[in-house]
Amino acid sequence: MKKLVAGWFSFGKMGATAGDLLARNLVCEWLEQAGLSYDVALAPPFDDGGVCWASIDPKTYSHVIFVCGPFGNGWPIPEFLDHFKECRLVGLNLSMLESLNTWNPFELLWERDSSHSVNPDISFISSQAPVPVVGVILADHQKEYQEKSLHQVANNSIQQLLNSRQMSVVHIDTRLDKNRTGLRTPAEVESLIARMDLVLTTRLHGTVLALKNGVPAIAIDPIASGSKLLRQATLIGWPVVFTVDSLDHTTLRTAFNYCLSEEARAKARDCSEEATRRLQKVKNDFISAMTSAVKLMVWTLLLKRCGSILAATTLHTQEGLMHNITTIGLDLAKSVFQV
């Protein structure tokens, strides 16, 4: 006869967690390894491929195995136990809420914790294939681009891509005047982006901070025909950039797979290095220009003060002239330091 695997995933709106589902999957693996047939009692939204415990014939099953979570003698447990009263009841990975001395409906019990003993939660030994961790960084509508602003079209394409496969989605807001994701500083934003497997973004700085940290980005310029984001990615050689009016789902899925590769991570690092190389010149030119501006200011002040000294030579002796030059030099030094 079959075994029935049940748990809080068998009841609607009872708060089934990831841990409950991991424990369920592990028990199913154990039953398969033992060569035993089974059904799983499931309720929405987990009911795909399962059975409804309240409508099945309990005589179909020799054992009913209740897996994971707190377990007490309150609704809906009494109805569940009564339905399967002719079956052998097995409890596994349960936190028994009442003393086993006063209530224990199970013929076999391997509790997680009870009044008698404590065991490690079985999800410690569950196996789960990892899925990509994807940062989603979206720009708000930019009215300055008027009718060329197609942010919602870009957002719809991104959502379609997110729905197409399993991934852990992390929404990241780069705005700091009013942040929707609880981030407070540039360091918090960048540190979170740096931990992603890849980034989906319509923001220029979403792209920049990802590539800076070696994280591949699917960059979508939300402005028709492309604007600043497209220009930035093209300049440094990042290939995974699209304009909003050239999107198609197949191309985005191909880009997604590429961005999960080590090749894409290496390319992201190369682009960051290219940007750094180009910006070294910007830095040098800026410092040079600012230094030249200070020097020009000093010479301007010097010429003005020298004019005062020359005027003074018609009125004073040579000793007086030397005194004025010394005084002007001290004043000039003070002016430079104030600058």
Side-chain angles (χ1 to χ4, degrees):
M1 294 180 70
K2 284 185 176 182
K3 319 303 177 189
L4 180 68
V5 178
W8 292 114
F9 43 82
S10 308
F11 305 89
K13 299 180 180 179
M14 291 300 292
T17 68
D20 294 327
L21 300 186
L22 289 171
R24 176 200 69 189
N25 294 345
L26 183 62
V27 171
C28 292
E29 290 177 17
W30 291 352
L31 291 172
E32 289 172 7
Q33 289 173 13
L36 300 172
S37 61
Y38 63 90
D39 287 330
V40 181
L42 297 174
F46 312 111
D47 52 338
D48 186 24
V51 298
C52 174
W53 69 265
S55 61
I56 56 177
D57 183 357
K59 295 178 181 179
T60 307
Y61 305 99
S62 62
H63 294 74
V64 174
I65 308 164
F66 200 99
V67 181
C68 199
F71 196 87
N73 194 18
W75 184 88
I77 295 303
E79 292 85 343
F80 177 83
L81 295 178
D82 184 65
H83 188 72
F84 294 105
K85 60 189 175 185
E86 302 300 326
C87 300
R88 301 180 69 183
L89 298 178
V90 179
L92 180 59
N93 204 52
L94 301 177
S95 292
M96 300 299 292
L97 301 181
E98 300 181 37
S99 171
L100 296 186
N101 294 329
T102 59
W103 184 74
N104 179 8
F106 298 107
E107 182 175 333
L108 297 171
L109 174 64
W110 291 271
E111 64 266 57
R112 181 171 58 190
D113 53 271
S114 71
S115 57
H116 287 187
S117 65
V118 178
N119 290 301
D121 188 282
I122 65 174
S123 60
F124 270 114
I125 57 173
S126 65
S127 60
Q128 189 76 23
V131 299
V133 180
V134 179
V136 177
I137 309 170
L138 303 179
D140 296 323
H141 176 73
Q142 295 168 297
K143 61 183 180 181
E144 60 267 28
Y145 291 100
Q146 301 177 358
E147 70 278 358
K148 297 184 71 176
S149 176
L150 300 175
H151 292 70
Q152 193 56 53
V153 175
N155 293 351
N156 290 343
S157 293
I158 288 174
Q159 190 59 53
Q160 185 180 7
L161 181 60
L162 296 177
N163 293 340
S164 69
R165 59 178 292 170
Q166 279 199 77
M167 65 185 79
S168 296
V169 177
V170 180
H171 290 279
I172 305 172
D173 187 6
T174 60
R175 280 189 62 170
L176 291 178
D177 58 339
K178 187 177 181 181
N179 192 280
R180 292 187 291 264
T181 54
L183 301 172
R184 300 165 295 177
T185 66
E188 291 179 359
V189 172
E190 184 170 355
S191 296
L192 185 56
I193 292 173
R195 285 163 173 77
M196 299 296 104
D197 291 322
L198 68 92
V199 159
L200 285 166
T201 184
T202 56
R203 277 198 177 276
L204 185 149
H205 282 121
T207 304
V208 168
L209 293 178
L211 298 180
K212 175 186 174 184
N213 289 279
V215 177
I218 297 178
I220 301 175
D221 195 318
I223 308 305
S225 300
S227 186
K228 60 184 181 181
L229 199 163
L230 175 64
R231 290 194 289 267
Q232 188 72 203
T234 302
L235 175 69
I236 61 174
W238 179 244
V240 193
V241 58
F242 305 94
T243 57
V244 65
D245 41 5
S246 67
L247 293 174
D248 73 83
H249 189 56
T250 300
T251 302
L252 286 178
R253 282 187 295 179
T254 301
F256 190 99
N257 292 333
Y258 168 74
C259 285
L260 291 176
S261 69
E262 186 51 44
E263 178 186 351
R265 285 196 164 264
K267 183 63 175 176
R269 292 190 292 269
D270 289 343
C271 290
S272 179
E273 291 171 2
E274 172 64 13
T276 301
R277 183 187 66 78
R278 287 175 173 270
L279 289 172
Q280 188 61 47
K281 183 178 184 303
V282 175
K283 173 186 174 182
N284 293 341
D285 290 349
F286 173 80
I287 292 175
S288 176
M290 292 298 99
T291 303
S292 298
V294 171
K295 289 179 179 178
L296 179 60
M297 188 178 298
V298 170
W299 279 109
T300 301
L301 289 171
L302 180 60
L303 289 174
K304 287 182 180 179
R305 301 299 172 84
C306 286
S308 300
I309 294 174
L310 291 173
T313 58
T314 61
L315 303 173
H316 300 286
T317 63
Q318 189 175 17
E319 290 182 359
L321 177 60
M322 295 303 296
H323 173 75
N324 283 342
I325 290 175
T326 301
T327 302
I328 295 303
L330 291 172
D331 289 345
L332 181 59
K334 293 177 182 178
S335 298
V336 171
F337 282 118
Q338 288 173 353
V339 171

